[in-house]
Amino acid sequence: TEDAETFEEDHTPTETRAQWYLRQIRGSSNFSGAEWLHILSGNLSHQIEHHLFPDMPANRYAEVAPKVKALCQAYGVHYNEANFTQQFWSV
């Protein structure tokens, strides 16, 4: 699997809104698991959605995640998601 990407700060002042959204997706990682794990993490297991929609209530992330994932797949953008253990050890 691919890991989340890192970006240099000096590239961000000139990026377009579309590039900003792409950076949020490419620079974030979700972890999957049981419902209780999402609840215990405050739904921040959905980091991609959190970075795309920072003002959205956290309890809505799981609802929009499949739509974001489908858009990523349609446009060939890596949606970094793995179980908690895999994501933990990738850090």
Side-chain angles (χ1 to χ4, degrees), residues 2-75:
E2 297 177 40
D3 290 333
E5 297 179 44
T6 57
F7 300 89
E8 298 296 323
E9 188 175 337
D10 62 342
H11 298 316
T12 60
T14 59
E15 71 185 357
T16 65
R17 191 71 174 156
Q19 290 168 326
W20 181 89
Y21 280 107
L22 186 58
R23 181 168 51 87
Q24 302 313 306
I25 295 167
R26 292 171 45 199
S28 303
S29 300
N30 286 2
F31 63 84
S32 57
E35 184 66 25
W36 62 266
L37 187 59
H38 297 296
I39 293 168
L40 286 178
S41 73
N43 290 300
L44 291 179
S45 47
H46 298 286
Q47 277 294 295
I48 295 170
E49 290 70 27
H50 170 68
H51 283 258
L52 289 172
F53 311 109
D55 296 329
M56 178 183 287
N59 63 341
R60 302 277 316 276
Y61 295 150
E63 180 183 337
V64 300
K67 297 170 186 172
V68 172
K69 189 174 185 176
L71 278 170
C72 288
Q73 185 175 15
Y75 288 95

Side-chain angles (χ1 to χ4, degrees), residues 69-91:
K69 189 174 185 176
L71 278 170
C72 288
Q73 185 175 15
Y75 288 95
V77 175
H78 177 66
Y79 184 90
N80 189 13
E81 180 180 45
N83 69 46
F84 178 79
T85 305
Q86 290 173 304
Q87 294 294 36
F88 180 81
W89 289 112
S90 75
V91 176

